[in-house]
Amino acid sequence: MIFRTFPNAGAAALVSLGMAAGLAQAEDLPKVTLQALAGSVGGVPMMIMENEGLDEKYGFDGTFEFLPHEGAFQNFLMGKSQISMDNDILGVSIARDEGFEVSAFYPVGNLYLGIVVPGGSEAQTPEDLIGKKVGHFGADSGTTTFLRLIVQEIYGFDVLEEYEFSQVGPAALVNLLEAGEVDAIFDFESFVSEAITRTDGRYLLQAHQAYSEFTGGFAPWITNMVAQDAWLQENPELAYAVRDAYDEAIRMLEDSDYEILRKPYIRENLGITSDAVLDTMIENGKATPYFTSDWSAEKIGQAEEFLQKLAEDGTLIQNVPDDVMITLEDYLGPRS
């Protein structure tokens, strides 16, 4: 902490008054609690909102929580946060089917995930891992489920049947790969960049790139803004305000060419201690942008078709409920 001396008591008093006014202004703003996963790139827009003052700029006082993977969505469903920025449309489908009235109302993350192999691996496609040991963090996770469908569509086989899976948490997967206990891992950023750096590894399959090329341009989002329907209906202007703050956050990210990721508050929140890992993460973001604001009717329709494919498989969902994805304009009406 840096302590500054003031030339006189009057100057100190003015600063104190200014700080008090700022605190009072923040206290007068409506409060919104937002959550994301600890260690996930999906939380970066929240970090920017918080540390660059975008919440107050757009008229709300944000509380920003970064939670472990286990239990994060349950935390949201129990009403402990108003907006989750690190959940996928598959989870929303399951929640709605179980009676929770929640909806995704905006995109956050492109598919910043994939299959990673260490340096020296001879594997060139996912087919080369058939019969091999592969690490993942749960067959019911969005990461594994989305990768399973992508591999099935592109390469024609089911990873759950053809790979010898080991299950640990997203962070522990990096250690498994580095120790040579698995031949590949399914993981998301920033853990992907850490795994690539620590093993001199590479993407065997980057999900967004691979599926976009296969479909001619479409890939689903891995994370979305999700809220309780009742909260949206009761707080339409706040929902728009959070969306605006997110849009500015990703503009700042893109305008900096991802160099904003070097800011200490982002680096520390992601738990990145290595310059090399940070360099890899920035390069991966430049190669495949981490975030999007594409919430067009066409993209939503394609995402609904993607969910229908998962429903036809029947492993995690058997149908696609209504209102998994909504637009604020259609659901709440134009902003006042």
Side-chain angles (χ1 to χ4, degrees):
M1 180 178 291
I2 299 173
F3 294 92
R4 292 184 172 87
T5 58
F6 296 96
N8 56 58
L14 286 173
V15 171
S16 297
L17 286 171
M19 292 174 63
L23 288 171
Q25 184 179 11
E27 288 174 359
D28 291 340
L29 294 174
K31 299 185 185 301
V32 183
T33 300
L34 303 92
Q35 70 170 60
L37 296 183
S40 168
V41 164
V44 166
M46 274 178 34
M47 298 172 201
I48 296 173
M49 285 186 210
E50 178 179 21
N51 288 275
E52 305 295 336
L54 299 184
D55 54 341
E56 293 180 22
K57 177 178 179 178
Y58 288 98
F60 65 98
D61 181 10
T63 297
F64 302 91
E65 298 180 343
F66 299 89
L67 307 174
H69 175 261
E70 298 79 7
F73 197 35
Q74 288 77 3
N75 182 81
F76 164 73
L77 294 176
M78 291 169 63
K80 294 184 178 181
S81 66
Q82 282 78 55
I83 294 178
S84 173
M85 293 188 66
D86 224 337
N87 287 106
D88 55 61
I89 54 176
L90 173 62
V92 174
S93 297
I94 294 170
R96 289 195 72 87
D97 214 34
E98 293 176 351
F100 294 94
E101 294 186 351
V102 299
S103 298
F105 67 92
Y106 210 51
V108 177
N110 289 318
L111 289 173
Y112 47 74
L113 56 95
I115 305 174
V116 179
V117 294
S121 172
E122 296 181 356
Q124 296 301 314
T125 76
E127 293 171 302
D128 297 327
L129 295 175
I130 290 175
K132 304 287 188 179
K133 294 180 179 179
V134 177
H136 71 145
F137 57 93
D140 60 347
S141 70
T143 294
T144 299
T145 301
F146 285 14
L147 283 172
R148 179 190 177 202
L149 179 57
I150 289 168
V151 170
Q152 200 157 20
E153 285 200 52
I154 298 175
Y155 296 97
F157 71 93
D158 188 343
V159 295
L160 294 182
E161 295 177 359
E162 301 294 346
Y163 291 173
E164 184 181 333
F165 273 124
S166 298
Q167 182 176 332
V168 297
L173 288 171
V174 180
N175 298 329
L176 281 187
L177 192 68
E178 186 177 32
E181 295 182 25
V182 292
D183 298 290
I185 59 173
F186 288 15
D187 218 336
F188 57 86
E189 289 286 4
S190 61
F191 302 117
V192 163
S193 290
E194 186 174 357
I196 289 173
T197 303
R198 283 167 53 180
T199 68
D200 192 26
R202 57 185 165 85
Y203 266 121
L204 180 70
L205 179 144
Q206 203 291 327
H208 184 82
Q209 290 179 357
Y211 202 59
S212 295
E213 290 173 6
F214 179 74
T215 63
F218 167 74
W221 317 275
I222 190 56
T223 52
N224 296 78
M225 281 192 212
V226 182
Q228 304 273 356
D229 293 355
W231 185 87
L232 290 172
Q233 292 160 2
E234 292 165 7
N235 301 277
E237 292 307 309
L238 280 179
Y240 278 114
V242 172
R243 192 179 75 176
D244 289 344
Y246 165 81
D247 281 341
E248 180 158 348
I250 62 168
R251 281 198 300 272
M252 292 175 68
L253 187 77
E254 292 166 353
D255 289 347
S256 76
D257 202 20
Y258 285 84
E259 291 296 319
I260 197 173
L261 294 177
R262 298 191 190 279
K263 288 206 170 188
Y265 68 79
I266 295 178
R267 181 173 179 153
E268 290 166 10
N269 252 313
L270 290 175
I272 296 171
T273 58
S274 162
D275 290 339
V277 171
L278 190 57
D279 290 343
T280 300
M281 191 170 68
I282 289 170
E283 289 307 310
N284 284 344
K286 291 177 181 178
T288 305
Y290 290 135
F291 303 105
T292 181
S293 57
D294 184 357
W295 198 237
S296 63
E298 179 184 12
K299 187 78 177 278
I300 291 172
Q302 292 171 315
E304 288 172 345
E305 292 175 7
F306 185 84
L307 285 175
Q308 287 292 348
K309 293 175 184 177
L310 292 175
E312 290 166 11
D313 171 75
T315 302
L316 293 177
I317 56 173
Q318 286 73 48
N319 64 86
V320 181
D322 293 334
D323 292 334
V324 170
M325 291 166 281
I326 61 171
T327 68
L328 295 183
E329 287 77 6
D330 288 343
Y331 192 69
L332 303 175
R335 63 201 311 172
S336 58

